[in-house]
Amino acid sequence: MPSRPTRPSARCGSGCSRPGVTDPLLVRTDAGDVLGREQGGLRSWRAIPYAAPPVGALRLRAPQPVTPWPEALEAFEFGSAAPQSGRFGRHDGGTDEDCLTLNVLAPSARSINPRPVMVFIHGGAYSGGSASSRLYRGERLVRNGHVVYVSLNYRLGALGYLDFGEYSTPERTFDSNLGLRDQVAALEWVQRNIAAFGGDPDAVTVFGESSGANAVTTLMCTPAARGLFARAIAQSPPAASAYGPDRSRLWAAEFLELLGGSDDPVTALTTASAETLTRAGDALAARGADEAPGTRAFAPLVDGEFLPRHPLDAFADGHQHRVPLIIGTNAREGTMFPRFLDIIPTDPVRIEKMFAETDPVLKARILAAYPGYPDRAAAVQLGGDVTFWEPSVLVAQAHAEVAPTYDYRYDFAPRLLRATGFGATHGTELLAVFDAADLPLGRGATVLGGRKGLRAVASIMQSHWLNFARHGEPRPTWPRYTAERRETLVVDTVARVEYDPDAERRRAWIGYRHRR
């Protein structure tokens, strides 16, 4: 356990005291004390372990409880991100299998009442990303909303999202749905400990983007997550990305072939380095993008137990957790993928393969909804829609039948994104949610103009997100979504409500079934 002792005599949670000791930066968790730092009116605690390091005998096993630490843990620096390739950038703390940590950020000012809690799950195609990203640190959310913010790392790639259960032996077991189990373990930690940081365990909002949003919609259908959060926000969720045992077995076998471990899977999986596993996983993902477009090998497993049903089926039948939900996508989700992360069906070859098992009449109807197809722009729009927008519509219309649901479409694009053909592409709403106009990424996106507009959009989105975290509903200007009217908040420098936007495209997809 990477702990460094400090102030072992001062063992008291935030806001409490003992004779002669008052230290709001020293917090007692159920596994030991953690010491944070204060800067700019915020208190932070970083790299708090929420589960035991999944290394050695715990590689490819369900998360286990941490070993309590006897002296205070200096929670000053970000922990390691999960192993991943360099295409996702560099991360504070580097990468390591010992990655099951979370970060807490809270206002320095005391509060009589416990504060709402916002738990963020990062995206990255379940292959990359980290809670330490400068964009995800949450300072503006905490300052503007007086919330307690939690971000977490979880296992990615083959170590988090492939199922090697059929290769288990009496001596060595391999568990499934490890990344999803990690997220549940982190939310359980929040329930047990967040009150000591000033947070309200009964007012937890879980939110995420891309695969992090898939995590949100999947957690809403995971029995073990029931009661761990009170509301949910899914930003651009590929909500259809969950697969059954047959497809998962095929991917596991292909991975072992790429790893060179088909003859002795147990030895290969337990002794290969994290870097070797990452390279084989990247090769598997690249192969799958062409051979089975519309699917992603790294995704939750519908195993009949931890995740009993496919999330789209659970939503359709009303078996999800009935918490208030914000869900939405960006106007041009697909445009960034061919240039930066070529994993979705954004070209005619992949799209034709994706439709191989689709009724020809339905296929023709869908293609007709994209004028100009097979031109590049139409193909890219279709790929973004089938991956993110179409399944989010299915989730929204189903969830609206059982719980308050709020739908949005993000349209804002500064001049640089418009000039380069990206528009309001995948992930750009994060600049508004985290109020990043003055961060390097925000300044880069607005180098040709639009920073004032980004600040305006950030004000709109943060006001809704924070009101939702506090009260379970956005501000009154955003009406609830219904299947009859399909009320949608269109987010731009001036937000507006539209009814059933992109209705023709929506109707064209009715009856389409994603590969599972």
Side-chain angles (χ1 to χ4, degrees):
M1 180 63 60
S3 58
R4 295 183 290 269
T6 181
R7 306 192 192 184
S9 63
R11 302 174 63 86
C12 182
S14 174
C16 66
S17 62
R18 29 183 311 199
V21 176
T22 301
D23 190 345
L25 297 176
L26 190 67
V27 177
R28 170 163 289 179
T29 75
D30 59 352
D33 292 351
V34 292
L35 181 66
R37 280 180 168 166
E38 184 169 8
Q39 185 176 10
L42 302 177
R43 294 173 294 149
S44 67
W45 299 263
R46 293 174 173 173
I48 304 172
Y50 65 84
V55 300
L58 294 185
R59 176 187 272 187
L60 296 171
R61 296 303 311 273
Q64 299 298 310
V66 300
T67 300
W69 46 91
E71 298 183 347
L73 179 72
E74 289 183 339
F76 297 163
E77 307 297 333
F78 286 109
S80 299
Q84 57 194 270
S85 66
R87 65 178 171 167
F88 291 98
R90 300 181 65 182
H91 307 284
D92 288 5
T95 63
D96 195 277
E97 286 186 73
D98 181 1
C99 62
L100 301 186
T101 63
L102 52 75
N103 316 295
V104 180
L105 188 68
S108 295
R110 301 294 182 94
S111 173
I112 297 175
N113 298 315
R115 292 183 163 100
V117 180
M118 299 186 74
V119 180
F120 181 69
I121 304 177
H122 72 77
Y126 287 135
S127 299
S130 169
S132 68
S133 166
R134 186 68 188 85
L135 181 60
Y136 301 155
R137 296 188 184 178
E139 293 100 331
R140 292 295 183 89
L141 276 173
V142 175
R143 286 197 178 98
N144 295 341
H146 308 288
V147 298
V148 175
Y149 174 75
V150 179
S151 59
L152 60 117
N153 288 333
Y154 57 97
R155 281 174 281 185
L156 302 170
L159 289 167
Y161 285 93
L162 288 183
D163 176 24
F164 300 107
E166 67 173 302
Y167 304 106
S168 294
T169 68
E171 296 75 31
R172 188 61 162 90
T173 299
F174 300 120
D175 297 317
S176 64
N177 272 323
L178 299 175
L180 182 60
R181 291 177 190 268
D182 293 344
Q183 293 153 8
V184 170
L187 289 168
E188 290 173 338
W189 184 96
V190 169
Q191 286 296 311
R192 297 193 307 269
N193 293 290
I194 206 63
F197 297 85
D200 184 353
D202 294 324
V204 173
T205 297
V206 61
F207 72 122
E209 183 268 343
S210 194
S211 58
N214 174 275
V216 171
T217 54
T218 304
L219 286 164
M220 291 177 69
C221 305
T222 302
R226 184 177 298 279
L228 299 183
F229 53 93
R231 19 204 175 261
I233 302 173
Q235 300 167 207
S236 302
S241 293
Y243 303 96
D246 290 344
R247 198 174 288 276
S248 294
R249 278 192 290 269
L250 176 63
W251 282 327
E254 290 181 356
F255 177 84
L256 285 166
E257 176 190 336
L258 291 165
L259 189 63
S262 299
D263 293 337
D264 188 355
V266 171
T267 299
L269 292 170
T270 56
T271 63
S273 68
E275 292 77 14
T276 299
L277 295 173
T278 296
R279 285 194 298 270
D282 287 346
L284 177 68
R287 175 191 290 183
D290 289 321
E291 293 185 354
T295 69
R296 279 154 292 283
F298 301 137
L301 168 66
V302 184
D303 57 9
E305 297 177 3
F306 198 77
L307 183 60
R309 307 187 65 202
H310 192 284
L312 291 185
D313 292 339
F315 276 101
D317 294 340
H319 291 163
Q320 72 276 36
H321 307 322
R322 299 183 175 190
V323 299
L325 171 67
I326 287 175
I327 188 169
T329 56
N330 298 353
R332 303 195 65 196
E333 290 280 358
T335 54
M336 82 90 165
F337 285 91
R339 304 191 215 182
F340 293 109
L341 190 61
D342 194 18
I343 61 172
I344 71 172
T346 54
D347 65 73
V349 174
R350 288 182 181 173
I351 289 169
E352 292 300 318
K353 264 189 186 178
M354 182 185 75
F355 283 134
E357 300 172 8
T358 300
D359 176 77
V361 174
L362 175 57
K363 172 187 171 183
R365 187 178 77 203
I366 294 171
L367 294 181
Y370 294 85
Y373 181 85
D375 290 351
R376 179 181 179 277
V380 166
Q381 185 69 40
L382 189 154
D385 282 358
V386 72
T387 305
F388 303 104
W389 174 65
E390 184 269 344
S392 80
V393 170
L394 298 179
V395 170
Q397 66 189 23
H399 198 61
E401 297 295 323
V402 299
T405 302
Y406 304 88
D407 185 67
Y408 73 88
R409 190 186 74 202
Y410 185 81
D411 280 16
F412 176 73
R415 186 178 302 168
L416 177 64
L417 292 181
R418 295 196 306 271
T420 52
F422 287 108
T425 193
H426 187 69
T428 52
E429 90 291 348
L430 288 165
L431 298 175
V433 169
F434 287 102
D435 193 6
D438 296 321
L439 296 180
L441 197 57
R443 290 197 298 269
T446 58
V447 68
L448 298 183
R451 195 165 304 167
K452 182 178 178 181
L454 179 55
R455 289 194 179 102
V457 174
S459 177
I460 292 167
M461 292 197 81
Q462 279 207 350
S463 68
H464 285 303
W465 264 230
L466 291 167
N467 204 74
F468 185 78
R470 189 168 298 278
H471 302 294
E473 59 184 12
R475 295 183 66 81
T477 51
W478 188 349
R480 286 173 60 166
Y481 184 88
T482 63
E484 294 74 29
R485 303 188 72 189
R486 301 186 183 275
E487 298 89 337
T488 301
L489 184 74
V490 177
V491 181
D492 211 326
T493 50
V494 177
R496 66 188 186 277
V497 174
E498 291 191 9
Y499 298 90
D500 202 4
D502 308 306
E504 182 180 350
R505 278 192 283 139
R506 178 189 62 78
R507 287 191 292 266
W509 285 99
I510 293 174
Y512 177 73
R513 183 173 176 83
H514 293 262
R515 293 181 176 185
R516 297 186 179 181

